[in-house]
Amino acid sequence: MARLIVITSLLISLMGCQQSKELAENVQIFIEHYTQEFQNLYYQSAIAEWASNTQIIEGDSSNSIATRTANEALANFTGSVENIEKIKTFLQKKEQLTPLQVKQLEAMLYMAANNPQTVPDLVRARIKAETEQTEKLYGFDFKISGNSLSTNEIDRILREETDLNVRLKTWEASKEVGKILQEGLVNLQKLRNQTVQALGYADYFSYQVSEYGMNTVDMLELNRKLVQEVWPLYRELHTYARYELAKKYGSKEVPDLLPAHWLPNRWGQDWSSMVTVEGLDLDAILKQKDAEWVMQQGERFYLSLGFPALPASFWEKSSLYPLPENAGYKKNNHASAWHMDLDKDVRSLMSVIPNTEWYETVHHELGHVYYYISYTNPEVPLLLREGANRAFHEAIGSLMGLAAMQKPFIAHLNLLPADIQTDEIQSLLKEALNYIVFIPWSAGVMTEFENALYSENLPADQFNQKWWAFKKTYQGIEPPSPRGEEYCDAASKTHISDDAAQYYDYALSYALLFQFHSYISKNILNQDPHATNYYGSEEVGQFLKEILSPGGTRDWRKLLQETINQDMSAQAMLDYFQPLMDYLKKENQDRKYTLPDIM
Ligand code: X8Z
Ligand code: ZN
């Protein structure tokens, strides 16, 4: 009797084993078929999007029609009811599959939720709305007194001009694009929410957040904590900037809130050009170079760490420089990197000119490109060719941008005399005006606004007041004059239209990048994090490859533990800037603080 039971249960478990082997094989076949079809449709979509973003011809709808068609085909496939059913059935037997199979099925389901064919009309309407919004955004002709000007030119004026009237006109001109995007944004708010709700997500914000394995409450809390942690330093920088800019513009009064047109950036997200470090004036150095040099220098840095040369197709197919004025068409004016076929076709879209901002951005975009190249390997299935999370993807190039601006690095390139004396506190101040100032903007304004927009269904007649309420609370910035609901200033930020509900990626990426930088400086280079030279260090390259090459095959928290033995945290960033506090407190000694001391 007992024997019989043993044999029967053995038989059953053998059968079970056979079944699960069969299941794993079936799943593998499904994944392979899916992958092939997906790659093909994804590539077609990327090719069409590429044309739509690099050749915007007024009145010509051929690009937008092609883009809509390609995106609909991709959506029909990724959101197909049949695929969704199959994936869900497979996932019910998770425990019989390999972790990699589960991850791939989950990636499919995540994409399906973005355009479920249970609601085909909604998906189609959304694709149409997104294509139209992108066209309007990047086809926009910025003008001052009737004269067209590029966003590079707007940015230059806001960095350099001291005449407040000229600044005001320029800032106002930069916000005009928001007006024509308001209607589209209202439509997209509804359509983005409705499409993901069809597969059970609460709203589009929580859909995007879920990719981190987090919910909206946790993500908001994490971002608010980040703001709180940098707040004491931000408050010092805010006070410093009010007084220094009042001096610079000859204003007798020091305003309580920073007027938006006083700041050297359209959104007040980076104030670093306020400070020039004597002896370390990168802008002056770059003025003697051309845009091609900036691109090649970016590649040289990655090469020096042991990364491969960029493929010839990168140089042939990318769109790296501003269009000539008489081009007769426009292109997307914001920087991006593209993994067109999730294989070897990598490109970047930029408008590089030789200045500090583009020098940094070139390193940022090449970070994406080298991430693509690193995880395009046989160990990483095509569906998992993505960052460990989206913030990792943003962190790598920004890390390289930071490293490429430190004095020992620049001196090593012979761009400076090696023995030049520079003021280290001024360098740190300049960096804080970039990295610290960015946090209340990204983790605060952008994240809170998009949360209100999608999770809280912000009513269309409150977009602008909400935007400025967040600008005031988080950044201590006010508009030059009241801006009613005829404006939609949030929509002057490109991500609001074409990278929706993801801006916290950048906030988190800054925390991460200081963690990576601190690890590299202390544990690999044995250098002061404030004065490093990564150039030529294959060990640094090796460390980065460990982070990059697994792509999305690993849990990001585990990967972080294994590479730097830490959880994600702002501590490294805070430590880095700690020496600045005393300096700023002294500078601000007799000045009135207008931000609350606790956020
Ligand atoms: O949008 C970007 C990148 C896109 S790949 C250039 N960044 C954010 C921005 O410009 O607002 C980089 C840092 C912040
Ligand atoms: Zn990026």
Side-chain angles (χ1 to χ4, degrees), residues 9 105 114 159 168 244 251 348-349 444 474 529 549:
S9 64
L105 291 171
N114 207 11
R159 276 195 310 271
L168 177 61
E244 293 300 316
S251 164
S348 177
L349 198 184
Y474 284 100
S549 12

Side-chain angles (χ1 to χ4, degrees), residues 145-352:
S145 315
N147 298 318
S148 300
L149 78 174
S150 66
T151 47
N152 269 341
E153 185 57 11
I154 289 177
D155 294 343
R156 188 196 61 75
I157 297 172
L158 292 179
R159 276 195 310 271
E160 295 176 2
E161 182 59 57
T162 52
D163 181 332
L164 279 178
N165 284 323
V166 177
R167 299 191 62 86
L168 177 61
K169 274 201 172 127
T170 309
W171 183 87
E172 284 176 342
S174 80
K175 298 294 149 187
E176 283 296 297
V177 63
K179 283 186 187 169
I180 62 152
L181 297 170
Q182 204 261 5
E183 198 187 328
L185 184 58
V186 176
N187 194 25
L188 282 170
Q189 173 192 33
K190 186 184 76 199
L191 291 170
R192 282 172 175 155
N193 274 346
Q194 288 175 343
T195 41
V196 299
Q197 278 158 358
L199 223 61
Y201 286 92
D203 58 79
Y204 195 68
F205 192 86
S206 72
Y207 169 71
Q208 289 293 346
V209 167
S210 74
E211 217 183 352
Y212 283 83
M214 289 168 73
N215 62 34
T216 295
V217 172
D218 294 342
M219 183 55 89
L220 291 176
E221 196 184 312
L222 181 61
N223 278 273
R224 286 171 188 156
K225 183 161 170 255
L226 255 181
V227 178
Q228 281 164 9
E229 288 175 318
V230 302
W231 193 255
L233 187 50
Y234 184 72
R235 183 167 173 263
E236 296 296 336
L237 293 166
H238 182 265
T239 309
Y240 176 86
R242 281 167 40 239
Y243 282 83
E244 293 300 316
L245 291 175
K247 218 187 312 175
K248 181 170 174 183
Y249 302 137
S251 164
K252 275 188 214 88
E253 305 233 333
V254 178
D256 283 356
L257 296 168
L258 280 161
H261 66 299
W262 280 28
L263 292 163
N265 172 282
R266 280 177 267 165
W267 307 278
Q269 70 183 66
D270 174 4
W271 309 347
S272 57
S273 65
M274 272 179 66
V275 170
T276 306
V277 182
E278 217 180 305
L280 192 55
D281 184 352
L282 190 54
D283 255 321
I285 297 169
L286 292 172
K287 270 204 182 110
Q288 295 164 27
K289 308 284 181 186
D290 56 20
E292 285 79 5
W293 182 90
V294 179
M295 273 309 303
Q296 286 154 9
Q297 176 51 40
E299 184 192 27
R300 268 196 294 277
F301 184 12
Y302 285 87
L303 283 174
S304 85
L305 304 183
F307 284 97
L310 293 165
S313 63
F314 172 87
W315 297 105
E316 287 154 18
K317 293 184 170 171
S318 288
S319 171
L320 299 172
Y321 308 109
L323 292 172
E325 263 170 51
N326 59 4
Y329 60 94
K330 291 193 176 286
K331 70 182 235 188
N332 180 332
N333 52 42
H334 194 76
S336 52
W338 302 52
H339 199 184
M340 301 287 294
D341 57 350
L342 299 169
D343 193 22
K344 300 284 188 301
D345 189 347
V346 293
R347 305 183 194 177
S348 177
L349 198 184
M350 292 191 268
S351 299
V352 179

Side-chain angles (χ1 to χ4, degrees), residues 381-451:
L382 188 129
L383 295 174
L384 301 176
R385 292 186 181 164
E386 58 192 10
N389 65 31
R390 298 193 311 255
F392 272 63
H393 229 303
E394 297 303 335
I396 301 306
S398 291
L399 165 69
M400 299 287 279
L402 171 101
M405 287 204 261
Q406 292 195 331
K407 187 168 102 174
F409 179 94
I410 295 181
H412 177 91
L413 296 181
N414 289 323
L415 298 172
L416 288 174
D419 54 358
I420 195 153
Q421 295 295 312
T422 57
D423 184 335
E424 280 160 25
I425 280 291
Q426 287 302 302
S427 289
L428 197 57
L429 173 61
K430 190 175 174 68
E431 288 174 324
L433 291 168
N434 180 354
Y435 299 99
I436 295 293
V437 160
F438 185 73
I439 299 297
W441 154 255
S442 54
V445 178
M446 284 293 281
T447 296
E448 294 288 355
F449 181 80
E450 292 201 294
N451 173 57

